[in-house]
Amino acid sequence: MNFDLSEDQAMLKDTAERLFAQAAGDSSGDLWARMAELGLLAAPFAEEDGGLGLGPVETMILAEAAGRAQVLTPYASVIAAAGTALRLATTPPSALISGLAGGEVRLAWAHEELGMPSDQARRTRARSTGDGWIVTGRKINVAHAADAARLAVTVTIDGGQLVLLIPSDARGVSRRDYQLFDGTPASEISFYEVTAEASAVLASGGEAIVLMERVREHLTAFRAAEAVGLMQALLDATLEHLKTRRQFGEPLASFQALRHKAADMLVALEQARSMAMLAALSVEDADQEERRKTLAQVRSVVGKSCKLVGQTAVQLHGGIGVTEEHPVGRGFRQLTLIDLEMERG
Amino acid sequence: MNFDLSEDQAMLKDTAERLFAQAAGDSSGDLWARMAELGLLAAPFAEEDGGLGLGPVETMILAEAAGRAQVLTPYASVIAAAGTALRLATTPPSALISGLAGGEVRLAWAHEELGMPSDQARRTRARSTGDGWIVTGRKINVAHAADAARLAVTVTIDGGQLVLLIPSDARGVSRRDYQLFDGTPASEISFYEVTAEASAVLASGGEAIVLMERVREHLTAFRAAEAVGLMQALLDATLEHLKTRRQFGEPLASFQALRHKAADMLVALEQARSMAMLAALSVEDADQEERRKTLAQVRSVVGKSCKLVGQTAVQLHGGIGVTEEHPVGRGFRQLTLIDLEMERG
Amino acid sequence: MDLSFSPEDIAFRDQVRAFVAQNLSPDTRRKVEQGRALDKADVVEWQRTLNRVGWATPSWPASAGGPGWSAVQRYIFMDELYAACAPEPLSFNVSMIGPVLIAYGSDAQKARFLKATANLDIWWAQGFSEPGAGSDLAALSATAVRDGDYYVVNGQKLWQGMAHRADWMFTLVRTDPKAAKKQGGISFLLIDLKSPGVTIRPIITIDGRHEVNEVFLDDVRVPVGDRVGEENQGWTYAKYLLSNERTGIARIGMTRRILARVADALASVEAGLTEAAQARHAVEATAIEAELRALEITQLRVLAAQQAGQTDPRSSILKIKGVELRQAASELLLRVVGPAGYAFAYEGQGEAPSEAASNYFTLRAASIYGGASEVQKNIIASSVLGL
Amino acid sequence: MDLSFSPEDIAFRDQVRAFVAQNLSPDTRRKVEQGRALDKADVVEWQRTLNRVGWATPSWPASAGGPGWSAVQRYIFMDELYAACAPEPLSFNVSMIGPVLIAYGSDAQKARFLKATANLDIWWAQGFSEPGAGSDLAALSATAVRDGDYYVVNGQKLWQGMAHRADWMFTLVRTDPKAAKKQGGISFLLIDLKSPGVTIRPIITIDGRHEVNEVFLDDVRVPVGDRVGEENQGWTYAKYLLSNERTGIARIGMTRRILARVADALASVEAGLTEAAQARHAVEATAIEAELRALEITQLRVLAAQQAGQTDPRSSILKIKGVELRQAASELLLRVVGPAGYAFAYEGQGEAPSEAASNYFTLRAASIYGGASEVQKNIIASSVLGL
């Protein structure tokens, strides 16, 4: 039993923190290229596919660093979600994985739909043409879709489910771009009679259902760690504010009610940190039942912590905490979205 | 719209408060006789039945005064519950009511059973003998049963329900006495082939179901007001403690975290007080749907307030708050029972 | 003890209800119902509609051109507005500066401002807070130095409700920096925002909206005649204003509107909730509704005390609990709406598919401004509980 | 990063598990499982059973007759006890006075007390708190005046865990009333409770149990040799004792046992819950279980730091959250058990049909003693957050 990082992991943490800190100050947009350059995109993939063969703990380190710097990276949707769909596909598409790992190609995970609980069958449907599929339906909140060359799409077929790869410029695909409230660029994507080849199937039947669940689990693990970084950033900012801001002739830090709220934030953060670690250490667990139960527990604790830390940070900051220009306000919105995702499962 | 007491109501309040304050100091046990003497037991009954023809607001005044003095009176079970069952019976038993109102005879409300939600059919069953009923079953937590001459019992029959009066010394009735955790003496009462005459039926069929609900509603209104009195007593004691007890060289009242908790107690108390008033003003409302909704809301708010005020009072008192000899500890137990009753509905 | 209104009050309620039904524009109504931002024109139009029948200034006495309503009538009026999804009369004008001018303004000020304020010919902004003075308002540092018939004002004011729409601002400035207590030496000035030296910088809040601004005052010359009341007595007028601001702030009708949207969303399939989540959210909605009912009675109790001429320090309870319930309802709405509510649009950049997120973020500020919840609890502990 | 125990630790765990299974009396096991009070004999028997194999004093070093376990082994041992519904070794002896004697006791004291303490031949009571000194322990006013080879002790002590069962008590008394700081001038005495002048008055707590007493000390003569460490340095030893008391107090296994009873009660028909209530309670149980899982990891993280020789001020988190979850679980149990749990019996007056209520009331004290939750939050704010 130990909670220490290995030497390599400590180096990775250092690299990621420096990179994201830099990116947070300069949003000129070459972050993805820099991440590719440093090999960060290749982390979770097998070495034979051009990856580094690293595990969920390394992903946790990256996610936490991104959260800590309050950087919006496409890593969750492109690598943790779509990347997992490729990696755990029935036949992993080697060339595509190495393109993803090298930063040459981007994917998006097109799963969410209006009116569907996250763990239930999709309304987007595909019908067989014998040697391929024709897809019709609509996905929402597809993160970073505008930059994606292909979409990993979850669909329902007669008697089952599929996970399919569809080029984002295929005929019949249309996109409406907007922003999620955490700042992530996202799209509503409509599919109208879109043709997909048989080779585009990443998984079908029972394997497709498992694959969707695995993607959700990896997303949960990533977002939990990202939330821990965000909460740490908000707690740090709040402590700084309490120490420097004066009211009624005293620093805010001298008011016991506020001190106790800061203590509550720490307790919530440490509980979430424990769960982010547990998520990383469990997400590749072979026992499906155990994994499912553990990740549900992770969602429960992390969601509640996001809410408490976010709301309290804003309240303790007072007026400036609700402004767009203050990092705490933005961080609160990011934590709110993670909370909602965790609650939905 | 007004929230003032009439002159008579103010007098009643005064009388009740003096009586209960006296009783709280002296538990020699003639409280019931004193209540009868002062006409308090006669309050809710019709004048032609020997009552005073007063309404739910007067009951609220009594209940709040009892709570405020932390006196355990049998009023809730004997007058508010069993008395309501008589008063609203299909044919109100005039002589018995006047005995109850005069304090000469006591009743108990025998309704609760193991394993039954409070609003569902009973397992205690009665079968018809043509000119009467034979009852078998078991009731629990029958408050003040040891002093009751008769029991108002809810039973299930083929195709419906009954509310029946059974003498507590009838053959086949047996009793095991114990205490509820708020200090109320109570009994488990078993009925084995107990005979009841046809004239013992207070209500049957749809009327029995309505009668049970009316009794629950009157109990809710009574207990809500009692809770308000209790919460006021605990808040007063807590404020006194905060002002006098010193720690780390300061009175507890100087610690902001504790001041804010006391403020939370007041908010909860005032919300409950509003609901106790609403309960009194609604419990005789003719619109059943509206009444049902209102009393559910009363239970929701009062239950939550009981929990917050009780737990906080104990916490702010520290060690002495968890001792049997301190009124706050006992008051917390009383509030806890009301909270549980409110939650069950 | 009686919860029902008098026949006169019921007649009044029916009159208000009919008027609102006939006169509120469907477009404004829809915006309010859905929690969307109102345009300046919407607010002005509605205020003037009300003003035509003398209802734009519910709390003003008849002698000042108000309707001279009782506390109960004011309550009924506001309740009807909320129930009909009508906007409130602009609070900066009607609840804040208006009563101050009525109580402390000179005859010249009353003549010049009151009618224009009621009719929203002048849109007022509040200039109280500063970067270093929020809950601790008396710590303000904007200064006004006398120069003949003028004050020369310098400083920086924050959280101006809608200053970019406003014509004038009422503000607190320090006129005697040497006063023994920081509450002393403060004066209450009215500043024309078109004056040279006034710069307004927009502040976008986390709800994506622009309702707040930073106002910079650089050597702004304010005529002495635009000072309200005595020099260095501004704190008294400010306290009066703030106590008015705090009255009737349970905003029960607003919470009820949010709960209505929760009920709609729970009934809609768009949210994609599991049955378990749906049941959980419904329980939560029921609990909030129950608390809201209790708060309504609490509000009526405070009102009855006011009606009887008593002031009730318990109005802090209305603020705390009112905010708590509005926040809880808006959070519940966000959870119920689900992924359909994740999209976001900044004001002026198109409409978001759902206002649930914006409303939730807007309302986080409700426990900060107008007396933060922590400050309200301090008040309860001192003034009500005697701690 | 790795959550699994080493093969040696797993072998150790299996050894403990087998021992407990073979040696714990079914009667004691049942009492612990159901949250019932243990008789003195139950506690003594189990302590001696453990002591026969050297396990009664998990935290004592081998040099003092303890097993000399690592932090991880101690954790595993306690976890196994909880899981098997075995009592903990008596904390007054094992976690409180034992370590103080080991660290600060004289050789004579060690020789006289340690073995008897481990074997529960002496049952110790804690005599720290006083009517005027609870969370603010240093405000104590019991005095000890030197008279030759004796101290003459006068005062009143509260909240003696089980003083009526105890043979000796460890206590703090003021030996120098003139000390500049109130923490100075305090000495740490061991008092034989059979000494003349000691009176013990039972205090019944709201759970109906008798675990607490008031101890009156009237001119009690205590040999100077029964003082631990230096005169007037008692505060140092007390702080050491309290910091030990605070370690490992998440008591996760205890909460897990309560949750197991919740699951049983939810599955039983006795409670008479509506389906909606059942679903609501199940959701709550799941949420507590999740928090408990998180706390378990948090505890392991603190443990790993201790294993590496670091002290972790975050152990206050274990206390706060541990208590919060135990209280939440016991409250949930009370709600789930329903009317079957309304009955109550005072200790010695028969058994209540359900211990749910007693346990709930017992645990309300958990956020008060051993460093109240408010004090823990003060500690976190100062020591961890640097506020």
Side-chain angles (χ1 to χ4, degrees):
Chain A
M1 188 196 69
N2 84 80
F3 295 90
D4 302 329
L5 300 182
S6 70
E7 211 169 296
D8 284 354
Q9 288 169 340
M11 261 174 58
L12 175 68
K13 179 167 189 279
D14 198 49
T15 304
E17 282 180 348
R18 260 183 296 128
L19 175 67
F20 290 135
Q22 208 173 19
D26 162 32
S27 60
S28 60
D30 59 354
L31 175 61
W32 199 248
R34 285 287 292 143
M35 288 178 78
E37 216 174 285
L38 291 165
L40 301 182
L41 306 183
F45 300 106
E47 292 181 40
E48 61 266 34
D49 293 334
L52 299 176
L54 300 176
V57 171
E58 283 78 8
T59 302
M60 177 190 87
I61 291 168
L62 280 178
E64 189 179 336
R68 183 84 178 243
Q70 292 191 234
V71 167
L72 291 167
T73 88
Y75 202 95
S77 54
V78 178
I79 306 292
T84 296
L86 297 191
R87 197 164 56 81
L88 303 181
T90 306
T91 312
S94 207
L96 190 56
I97 290 179
S98 90
L100 194 66
E104 296 105 42
V105 60
R106 284 212 218 169
L107 269 72
W109 174 244
H111 176 68
E112 191 78 79
E113 298 185 10
L114 272 188
M116 302 304 304
S118 57
D119 61 345
Q120 283 175 27
R122 307 289 93 189
R123 277 196 201 136
T124 297
R125 296 191 65 89
R127 65 173 198 274
S128 173
T129 59
D131 61 346
W133 299 91
I134 294 180
V135 177
T136 294
R138 188 154 56 109
K139 299 287 180 180
I140 61 165
N141 300 350
V142 183
H144 298 279
D147 298 319
R150 303 220 215 161
L151 308 166
V153 187
T154 55
V155 301
T156 295
I157 56 173
D158 281 350
Q161 312 264 312
L162 288 183
V163 183
L164 270 179
L165 276 179
I166 295 181
S168 50
D169 58 358
R171 178 192 300 262
V173 174
S174 60
R175 219 180 66 224
R176 188 177 64 80
D177 296 339
Y178 52 91
Q179 215 182 85
L180 304 186
F181 64 69
D182 70 343
T184 300
S187 309
E188 177 184 292
I189 301 185
S190 300
F191 301 88
Y192 180 69
E193 298 277 317
V194 177
T195 306
E197 292 168 34
S199 64
V201 173
L202 292 174
S204 67
E207 289 175 354
I209 292 172
V210 169
L211 187 58
M212 288 182 216
E213 184 170 9
R214 299 307 314 268
V215 169
R216 280 174 56 222
E217 290 171 345
H218 278 273
L219 260 177
T220 292
F222 186 94
R223 294 288 266 169
E226 194 184 3
V228 166
L230 278 161
M231 286 188 259
Q232 185 71 61
L234 263 62
L235 176 59
D236 290 347
T238 302
L239 296 177
E240 187 57 28
H241 182 73
L242 291 178
K243 283 182 218 169
T244 50
R245 170 91 172 180
R246 297 177 72 85
Q247 257 181 16
F248 307 108
E250 308 277 345
L252 287 182
S254 70
F255 293 96
Q256 194 189 31
L258 309 188
R259 296 165 68 84
H260 282 194
K261 282 191 182 165
D264 292 338
M265 289 172 78
L266 179 74
V267 173
L269 165 58
E270 291 301 331
Q271 285 284 88
R273 190 188 300 285
S274 290
M275 282 318 230
M277 288 177 176
L278 183 63
L281 296 171
S282 308
V283 70
E284 298 280 17
D285 193 332
D287 181 341
Q288 189 194 32
E289 269 316 299
E290 189 53 37
R291 217 174 55 221
R292 193 174 280 165
K293 185 179 169 190
T294 297
L295 286 158
Q297 292 178 330
V298 168
R299 291 184 191 111
S300 169
V301 172
V302 171
K304 264 197 292 184
S305 293
C306 286
K307 171 180 161 159
L308 184 134
V309 172
Q311 290 183 349
T312 311
V314 167
Q315 181 70 24
L316 295 190
H317 269 82
I320 58 161
V322 298
T323 62
E324 179 73 21
E325 54 204 65
H326 195 286
V328 158
R330 288 200 311 277
F332 169 54
R333 285 208 308 237
Q334 292 178 275
L335 284 173
T336 301
L337 190 58
I338 298 179
D339 172 13
L340 295 180
E341 288 177 8
M342 293 286 163
E343 185 179 36
R344 275 177 64 83
Chain B
M1 187 196 70
N2 82 82
F3 294 90
D4 301 329
L5 299 183
S6 70
E7 210 168 296
D8 285 353
Q9 289 168 342
M11 261 174 58
L12 175 69
K13 180 167 188 279
D14 198 49
T15 304
E17 281 180 348
R18 261 185 294 131
L19 175 68
F20 291 135
Q22 209 173 17
D26 162 31
S27 59
S28 59
D30 59 353
L31 176 61
W32 198 247
R34 285 287 292 143
M35 288 178 78
E37 216 174 283
L38 291 164
L40 301 183
L41 306 183
F45 300 107
E47 293 181 41
E48 61 266 34
D49 293 332
L52 300 175
L54 301 176
V57 171
E58 283 77 7
T59 302
M60 176 189 88
I61 290 169
L62 280 178
E64 189 178 335
R68 182 83 178 244
Q70 290 191 236
V71 167
L72 290 168
T73 89
Y75 202 96
S77 53
V78 179
I79 307 293
T84 297
L86 297 192
R87 197 164 56 81
L88 302 181
T90 307
T91 312
S94 207
L96 190 56
I97 291 179
S98 92
L100 194 65
E104 296 104 43
V105 61
R106 284 211 217 171
L107 269 72
W109 174 245
H111 177 67
E112 192 78 77
E113 298 184 11
L114 273 188
M116 302 306 301
S118 58
D119 62 344
Q120 282 176 27
R122 307 290 93 190
R123 277 196 201 136
T124 296
R125 296 192 65 89
R127 66 175 197 275
S128 173
T129 60
D131 61 346
W133 300 92
I134 294 180
V135 177
T136 295
R138 191 154 55 110
K139 298 288 180 179
I140 61 166
N141 300 351
V142 183
H144 299 280
D147 298 319
R150 303 219 215 161
L151 308 166
V153 188
T154 56
V155 301
T156 295
I157 57 173
D158 281 350
Q161 313 262 314
L162 289 183
V163 183
L164 270 180
L165 276 179
I166 295 180
S168 49
D169 58 357
R171 178 190 300 263
V173 175
S174 59
R175 218 180 68 222
R176 188 176 65 79
D177 294 339
Y178 52 90
Q179 215 182 84
L180 304 186
F181 64 69
D182 69 343
T184 299
S187 309
E188 178 185 291
I189 300 185
S190 301
F191 301 88
Y192 180 70
E193 299 277 316
V194 178
T195 306
E197 293 168 32
S199 65
V201 174
L202 292 173
S204 67
E207 287 175 356
I209 293 172
V210 169
L211 187 58
M212 289 182 215
E213 184 170 8
R214 298 309 310 272
V215 168
R216 281 174 56 222
E217 289 171 346
H218 277 274
L219 260 177
T220 292
F222 186 93
R223 295 288 266 169
E226 195 185 1
V228 166
L230 278 162
M231 286 188 258
Q232 184 71 59
L234 263 62
L235 176 59
D236 290 347
T238 302
L239 296 176
E240 187 57 29
H241 181 74
L242 292 178
K243 284 182 215 168
T244 50
R245 170 92 172 180
R246 297 178 70 86
Q247 257 181 17
F248 306 107
E250 306 277 347
L252 286 182
S254 69
F255 293 95
Q256 193 189 34
L258 309 188
R259 296 165 68 82
H260 281 193
K261 283 191 181 162
D264 292 339
M265 289 172 78
L266 179 75
V267 173
L269 164 59
E270 291 300 331
Q271 287 285 87
R273 189 188 301 283
S274 290
M275 282 318 231
M277 288 175 175
L278 184 62
L281 296 171
S282 308
V283 70
E284 298 279 18
D285 194 331
D287 181 340
Q288 189 195 32
E289 268 316 298
E290 188 53 37
R291 217 174 55 222
R292 192 174 280 165
K293 185 179 169 188
T294 297
L295 286 158
Q297 292 179 330
V298 168
R299 292 186 190 109
S300 169
V301 172
V302 172
K304 264 196 294 185
S305 292
C306 286
K307 170 181 160 156
L308 184 135
V309 172
Q311 291 183 351
T312 310
V314 167
Q315 181 71 24
L316 295 191
H317 270 82
I320 56 161
V322 298
T323 63
E324 180 72 21
E325 55 204 64
H326 195 286
V328 158
R330 289 201 311 279
F332 169 53
R333 286 208 308 237
Q334 293 178 272
L335 285 173
T336 301
L337 190 58
I338 298 178
D339 173 12
L340 295 180
E341 288 177 8
M342 293 286 162
E343 186 179 36
R344 277 177 64 83
Chain C
M1 194 169 291
D2 180 6
L3 274 177
S4 53
F5 292 115
S6 69
E8 295 75 29
D9 287 334
I10 288 173
F12 172 74
R13 185 195 68 194
D14 293 344
Q15 191 191 357
V16 173
R17 190 173 295 178
F19 179 86
V20 176
Q22 278 161 30
N23 291 281
L24 180 63
S25 95
D27 182 51
T28 300
R29 183 190 146 74
R30 201 171 316 109
K31 285 181 183 166
V32 172
E33 186 176 12
Q34 297 171 358
R36 297 184 186 275
L38 294 172
D39 293 333
K40 180 171 181 177
D42 303 329
V43 179
V44 171
E45 187 205 327
W46 178 238
Q47 176 97 6
R48 290 181 185 166
T49 302
L50 291 175
N51 200 37
R52 271 197 296 279
V53 289
W55 292 354
T57 55
S59 62
W60 295 13
S63 59
W69 285 333
S70 69
V72 170
Q73 285 177 308
R74 291 200 296 272
Y75 172 80
I76 290 173
F77 178 73
M78 293 304 291
D79 204 42
E80 288 299 316
L81 292 191
Y82 285 129
C85 299
E88 303 174 39
L90 188 69
S91 63
F92 303 107
N93 284 34
V94 171
S95 312
M96 298 187 194
I97 187 60
V100 168
L101 290 175
I102 293 166
Y104 300 106
S106 65
D107 289 343
Q109 286 168 340
K110 287 179 191 171
R112 183 175 171 201
F113 289 120
L114 280 183
K115 278 193 176 152
T117 297
N119 204 46
L120 211 34
D121 298 332
I122 296 176
W123 183 303
W124 289 92
Q126 183 179 30
F128 279 12
S129 294
E130 296 183 2
S135 285
D136 181 15
L137 195 55
L140 63 90
S141 58
T143 57
V145 176
R146 188 71 174 262
D147 178 19
D149 288 343
Y150 287 84
Y151 289 106
V152 180
V153 179
N154 280 285
Q156 184 182 350
K157 292 287 177 179
L158 266 177
W159 321 129
Q160 310 281 339
M162 301 279 182
H164 58 298
R165 291 181 177 177
D167 307 295
W168 282 72
M169 126 171 131
F170 52 90
T171 189
L172 297 174
V173 293
R174 196 164 293 288
T175 36
D176 178 6
K178 299 204 191 77
K181 285 184 64 182
K182 64 182 178 177
Q183 285 80 1
I186 290 174
S187 296
F188 191 113
L189 297 188
L190 310 176
I191 300 183
D192 186 338
L193 290 170
K194 292 182 299 296
S195 310
V198 174
T199 317
I200 296 176
R201 186 178 79 83
I203 292 181
I204 307 301
T205 38
I206 53 172
D207 52 7
R209 295 183 185 169
H210 175 202
E211 302 191 346
V212 172
N213 297 276
E214 213 166 356
V215 177
F216 298 90
L217 304 164
D218 295 308
D219 288 335
V220 177
R221 294 181 73 80
V222 177
V224 169
D226 291 345
R227 186 191 69 222
V228 175
E230 299 295 311
E231 193 172 80
N232 297 330
Q233 296 302 311
W235 188 248
T236 307
Y237 320 138
K239 275 202 303 188
Y240 178 75
L241 182 150
L242 293 172
S243 74
N244 287 327
E245 189 189 359
R246 232 170 259 143
T247 310
I249 27 174
R251 290 206 161 76
I252 287 158
M254 201 181 285
T255 312
R256 200 158 273 153
R257 275 205 310 259
I258 303 174
L259 287 177
R261 288 158 69 199
V262 168
D264 287 350
L266 274 172
S268 118
V269 294
E270 280 224 331
L273 298 170
T274 60
E275 264 179 56
Q278 219 159 6
R280 211 170 58 234
H281 293 322
V283 165
E284 172 74 9
T286 306
I288 297 174
E289 212 186 326
E291 284 274 1
L292 198 62
R293 185 85 183 275
L295 190 62
E296 193 176 14
I297 310 290
T298 307
Q299 163 120 44
L300 291 173
R301 287 166 51 213
V302 170
L303 199 64
Q306 288 173 341
Q307 187 89 326
Q310 303 152 17
T311 59
D312 195 332
R314 272 180 263 224
S315 53
S316 280
I317 294 175
L318 300 179
K319 169 77 162 56
I320 290 182
K321 199 78 196 180
V323 166
E324 182 189 314
L325 295 179
R326 260 182 300 154
Q327 290 183 336
S330 76
E331 183 178 330
L332 180 60
L333 181 63
L334 182 63
R335 293 184 189 279
V336 170
V337 162
Y342 295 177
F344 194 67
Y346 288 96
E347 191 173 334
Q349 296 178 16
E351 287 205 342
S354 152
E355 293 290 319
S358 255
N359 286 180
Y360 171 68
F361 296 123
T362 299
L363 282 172
R364 296 318 303 175
S367 49
I368 293 169
Y369 61 59
S373 293
E374 288 81 5
V375 173
Q376 302 291 350
K377 289 187 185 178
N378 290 345
I379 292 174
I380 289 180
S382 318
S383 310
V384 187
L385 302 178
L387 292 179
Chain D
M1 194 170 289
D2 180 8
L3 274 178
S4 53
F5 293 115
S6 69
E8 294 75 28
D9 287 335
I10 288 173
F12 172 74
R13 186 195 65 194
D14 293 343
Q15 191 191 356
V16 173
R17 191 173 294 177
F19 179 86
V20 175
Q22 278 162 27
N23 290 281
L24 179 63
S25 94
D27 182 51
T28 300
R29 183 190 146 74
R30 202 170 317 110
K31 284 182 184 167
V32 172
E33 186 176 13
Q34 297 171 357
R36 297 184 187 275
L38 293 173
D39 294 332
K40 180 171 181 178
D42 302 330
V43 179
V44 171
E45 187 206 326
W46 179 239
Q47 177 97 6
R48 291 184 184 163
T49 302
L50 290 175
N51 200 37
R52 272 197 295 281
V53 290
W55 291 356
T57 54
S59 62
W60 295 13
S63 59
W69 285 333
S70 69
V72 170
Q73 285 176 308
R74 290 200 297 273
Y75 172 80
I76 290 174
F77 177 73
M78 292 304 290
D79 204 41
E80 287 299 317
L81 292 191
Y82 284 130
C85 298
E88 304 173 39
L90 188 70
S91 63
F92 303 107
N93 283 34
V94 172
S95 311
M96 298 189 194
I97 187 61
V100 168
L101 290 174
I102 293 166
Y104 299 107
S106 66
D107 288 343
Q109 287 168 340
K110 286 180 191 171
R112 181 172 174 206
F113 288 121
L114 281 184
K115 278 195 178 153
T117 298
N119 202 45
L120 211 36
D121 299 331
I122 297 176
W123 182 303
W124 289 93
Q126 184 179 29
F128 278 13
S129 293
E130 296 183 4
S135 285
D136 180 15
L137 196 55
L140 63 90
S141 59
T143 58
V145 177
R146 187 72 173 262
D147 178 17
D149 288 344
Y150 288 85
Y151 288 106
V152 180
V153 180
N154 280 285
Q156 185 181 349
K157 291 288 178 180
L158 267 177
W159 319 130
Q160 310 281 340
M162 300 280 183
H164 58 299
R165 291 183 177 175
D167 307 295
W168 282 73
M169 122 172 135
F170 51 91
T171 189
L172 297 174
V173 293
R174 195 164 294 286
T175 36
D176 179 6
K178 300 203 192 74
K181 284 184 65 181
K182 64 183 178 178
Q183 285 80 2
I186 290 174
S187 296
F188 193 114
L189 296 188
L190 310 176
I191 299 183
D192 185 339
L193 290 171
K194 292 182 299 295
S195 311
V198 173
T199 315
I200 295 177
R201 186 178 79 83
I203 292 181
I204 308 300
T205 38
I206 53 171
D207 52 8
R209 294 185 185 167
H210 175 203
E211 301 191 347
V212 173
N213 297 277
E214 212 167 356
V215 177
F216 298 89
L217 305 165
D218 294 310
D219 288 335
V220 178
R221 294 182 73 79
V222 177
V224 169
D226 292 346
R227 187 192 68 222
V228 175
E230 299 295 310
E231 193 171 80
N232 298 330
Q233 296 302 311
W235 188 249
T236 308
Y237 320 137
K239 274 203 304 189
Y240 177 75
L241 182 150
L242 293 172
S243 75
N244 288 326
E245 189 189 357
R246 231 171 261 142
T247 310
I249 28 174
R251 290 206 160 75
I252 288 158
M254 201 181 285
T255 313
R256 201 158 272 152
R257 274 205 309 260
I258 304 174
L259 287 178
R261 289 160 67 200
V262 168
D264 287 349
L266 274 173
S268 117
V269 293
E270 280 224 331
L273 299 169
T274 61
E275 263 180 57
Q278 218 159 6
R280 209 170 60 234
H281 293 322
V283 165
E284 173 74 10
T286 306
I288 296 174
E289 212 187 327
E291 284 275 1
L292 198 63
R293 185 86 183 273
L295 190 61
E296 191 176 14
I297 309 291
T298 308
Q299 163 120 45
L300 292 173
R301 287 166 51 212
V302 170
L303 199 65
Q306 288 172 344
Q307 187 89 325
Q310 303 152 16
T311 59
D312 194 332
R314 270 179 265 221
S315 53
S316 280
I317 294 174
L318 300 180
K319 169 76 162 58
I320 290 182
K321 199 78 195 181
V323 165
E324 183 189 314
L325 295 179
R326 261 182 299 154
Q327 291 183 336
S330 75
E331 183 178 330
L332 180 59
L333 181 62
L334 181 64
R335 292 183 190 281
V336 170
V337 162
Y342 294 177
F344 194 65
Y346 288 94
E347 191 173 334
Q349 298 178 16
E351 286 206 340
S354 152
E355 294 290 319
S358 257
N359 286 180
Y360 171 68
F361 295 123
T362 299
L363 283 171
R364 296 319 303 174
S367 50
I368 293 169
Y369 61 59
S373 293
E374 288 82 5
V375 173
Q376 301 291 351
K377 288 187 186 180
N378 289 344
I379 292 174
I380 290 179
S382 317
S383 310
V384 187
L385 301 179
L387 292 179

